[in-house]
Amino acid sequence: MSEIAELIQSEINKLSTSSVKTNVGNITMIADGVAKVDGLSKAMFNEMVEFPGGVFGIALNLEEDEVGCVILGDYSQLKEGDEARTTGKLLSVPVGKELLGRVVDAIGKPIDGKGPIDAKEQYPIEKIAPGIIPRQSVDQPLQTGILSIDSMIPIGRGQRELIIGDRSTGKTTIAIDTIINQANINRQGELNGGPDFRPVYSIYVAVGQKNANIARTIKALEEADALKYTIIVSAPAADNPANQYLAPFAGASMGEWFMSNGMDALIVYDDLSKQAVAYRQISLVLKRPSGREAYPGDVFYLHSRLLERSARLNKDNGGGSLTALPIIETQMGDVSGYIPTNVISITDGQIFLETDLFNQGIRPAISVGLSVSRVGSAAQIKAIKKVAGKVKLQLAQYRELAAFSQFESDLDAKTKATLDRGARVVETFKQPAYSPIPVEIQVGLMWAVQNNFFDSIPADRATEAVSSLKEHFITRGTEVTEAILKEKSITEDIEKDLRATVEEWKRTWGE
Amino acid sequence: MAADKQTRDLAKKLVMFSMDNGEISADKVKEVLGALSAQPPRKLKKLLVCYQKLIEREIDKYTAQVEHAGPLSQDALDAVKSFLEENSGRKISIQTQENPDLLAGIRVSLGDDVYEDSAAFRLRPLAEKAI
């Protein structure tokens, strides 16, 4: 008993007896997740405000007589006259490796039922992006595992590459394939990688999506054993607009932790169109002046300050990077819409997906003509640069001449060759979902196509041939693929081995 | 009811006219009310509601509400008063009120600022976690 009394006494002694000063106000109006609070004269912009029942909000509108707060959480129990108090804190989220493999909401609380997260650090949701001096140019590849992207629209670590297209064109699939490929590379690196190996951790931010879609994505990542390298931040369509507005910033803070600690991270924002719609709703309820398409005047700043937080830092600042793959949904292929043009002007390139290509069976449905990576071949290893350097031009020539393909019998040999090669390249680039291809095998496949090994194969069997060659590289070509991975270029010896491997496959294919 | 900007600006001007040496003066308030009833402007009711709210806010700036649970000595009250006068830079008047919901300790409200050192305030986070 005396031990228990001592325990309680020591707790009492630890208690501070100083008073706590807070600034308070009373709710005058509450509707649609926004509360107008009279008072709160010392509230600061973006400060967390506490409401009764443990509900929190953020002060977003600081007016002369009242403060407009966006409520995070269930506001159904709040009413006019309730007291709100400032907390003196900015909204922060837990960050660190403890979040890997977990599904959290927009303020970092776990929602996967796997227990609390023991994060040691918290980062504020709103943070100023790194300036010019701490940055370094992007020259390390981020392999997506998608042949058409890695060969023609290469992405580097620290780049922002927009994925844009209509609904159901495969935008999320590209992002998930990239995450799965990073997990595959991480696993390989953990087994065989040298001291220079740098794993890439992924963050997937789901904004305004159906819960079923988010569940399907989580399942795909689990099945590919990629979830343990991934953090999922979920703000589904049923969530209030404040959470949908904040979720990308929360994800960015989690990614910044990796970047600030000298590691590489990838963040997918799926999608920013829905974040803009949520922000529009909040701004209209806060009675902020609306502009084009009823969006508030600072909707550009919403996305620019988010995407600028992705960067590659120089060695003096840890050498880490945060690569961003924002996703934007267009309507009827209109890339000249307000939000799409805003985000296109912010990012370092875009991958444009077309519904027509998707319906023709070309998946991923990437429009090579409209897609670009402003980082370009600086983010490619020499090997893929060598074999894929001309393929964009070949495809452009093929598209130009494709209209004449119906007159096949009347064409000259050169045109026919261009059409044949183009058709085979298009078939080569077709890839099933959730099946990223390692870069060393991509090099082998492209080398085979560029060195005429597919010319004798009918175009409609090219996809089957690619699949077969890929299997061959995995089962019988490990020596040459490992050499490509080690050297990162095609030396004379590697070229000889490649030729031997592909010729061996061609013989078995012919049988 | 929410007043428009014009009405709010007029109410603020009326509050300025109601002050004497930095404090609200009852005589000046009577003068203002007299003038308004002699020549009532448009939206008089909204103006008066706004005026009332602003007057109350002004009075709250130098009138501290001290809620306490249990006895409160005069020395403690004087200490609170001198602390508030030092921090705000103006003369403060104190109004006390017993509030058993605090369980123990005091809660001092001056305008929007609340200084709290009560048992209920410290136990509240625990209660919310338990819920």
Side-chain angles (χ1 to χ4, degrees), chain A residues 236-416:
Chain A
D239 226 349
N240 64 59
N243 283 2
Q244 293 183 43
Y245 154 62
L246 289 171
F249 293 103
S253 296
M254 294 170 192
E256 270 173 335
W257 181 86
F258 290 99
M259 183 171 70
S260 318
N261 285 280
M263 291 178 268
D264 295 331
L266 163 72
I267 183 162
V268 176
Y269 302 109
D270 191 3
D271 60 62
L272 292 186
S273 323
K274 295 193 177 59
Q275 187 207 21
V277 166
Y279 186 56
R280 177 172 63 183
Q281 181 173 338
I282 292 169
S283 300
L284 288 171
V285 177
L286 283 170
K287 300 251 188 318
R288 289 180 174 180
S290 55
R292 180 176 166 183
E293 293 179 30
Y295 286 103
D298 62 346
V299 73
F300 184 96
Y301 181 52
L302 171 75
H303 291 145
S304 65
R305 72 180 190 269
L306 173 70
L307 293 171
E308 277 297 306
R309 289 163 73 175
S310 298
R312 168 128 188 258
L313 300 180
N314 57 27
K315 279 199 173 53
D316 293 340
N317 289 278
S321 71
L322 178 61
T323 310
L325 293 181
I327 294 177
I328 287 280
E329 187 175 295
T330 51
Q331 304 296 326
M332 309 258 292
D334 182 22
V335 287
S336 61
Y338 185 31
I339 303 298
T341 47
N342 275 358
V343 183
I344 287 170
S345 66
I346 295 167
T347 52
D348 308 317
Q350 65 271 353
I351 296 167
F352 185 53
L353 302 170
E354 283 186 348
T355 309
D356 287 344
L357 294 174
F358 190 90
N359 293 337
Q360 286 168 29
I362 299 171
R363 298 169 195 181
I366 296 173
S367 166
V368 177
L370 290 175
S371 303
V372 71
S373 165
R374 300 187 206 192
V375 169
S377 59
Q380 279 180 318
I381 56 172
K382 281 196 181 129
I384 198 103
K385 217 185 294 192
K386 187 173 178 184
V387 296
K390 292 183 189 157
V391 77
K392 203 167 182 179
L393 178 64
Q394 287 170 344
L395 278 178
Q397 288 170 339
Y398 168 69
R399 278 196 310 275
E400 243 185 72
L401 297 170
F404 297 104
S405 60
Q406 56 191 316
F407 305 113
E408 239 178 71
S409 57
D410 299 345
L411 299 169
D412 60 284
K414 191 171 172 210
T415 306
K416 220 165 161 297

Side-chain angles (χ1 to χ4, degrees), chain A residues 15-25 28 38-42 50-54 64-66 83 85, chain B residues 5 8-9 12 50 53-54 57 83 87 106-107 109-117 121-122 124-125 128 131:
Chain A
L15 283 177
S16 152
T17 53
S18 61
S19 62
V20 174
K21 180 185 173 186
T22 51
N23 193 242
V24 301
T28 55
D38 184 40
L40 286 183
S41 55
K42 305 222 173 41
E50 190 182 355
F51 292 88
E64 200 173 351
D65 299 322
E66 62 186 6
E83 189 180 86
R85 56 179 64 220
Chain B
K5 193 174 185 313
R8 281 202 311 270
D9 287 345
K12 281 175 192 166
C50 198
K53 214 194 262 184
L54 291 173
R57 196 181 283 175
F83 170 78
N87 270 12
I106 64 168
R107 186 177 195 255
S109 309
L110 180 68
D112 290 344
D113 293 329
V114 171
Y115 302 84
E116 188 148 5
D117 191 12
F121 178 70
R122 290 185 187 280
R124 202 182 58 191
E128 279 164 6
I131 291 164

Side-chain angles (χ1 to χ4, degrees), chain A residues 208-229:
Chain A
Q209 293 192 36
K210 292 184 273 196
N211 278 315
N213 286 357
I214 300 173
R216 198 175 328 123
T217 300
I218 294 171
K219 188 161 176 258
L221 292 175
E222 265 174 346
E223 283 171 0
D225 199 24
L227 194 58
K228 64 183 185 201
Y229 299 105

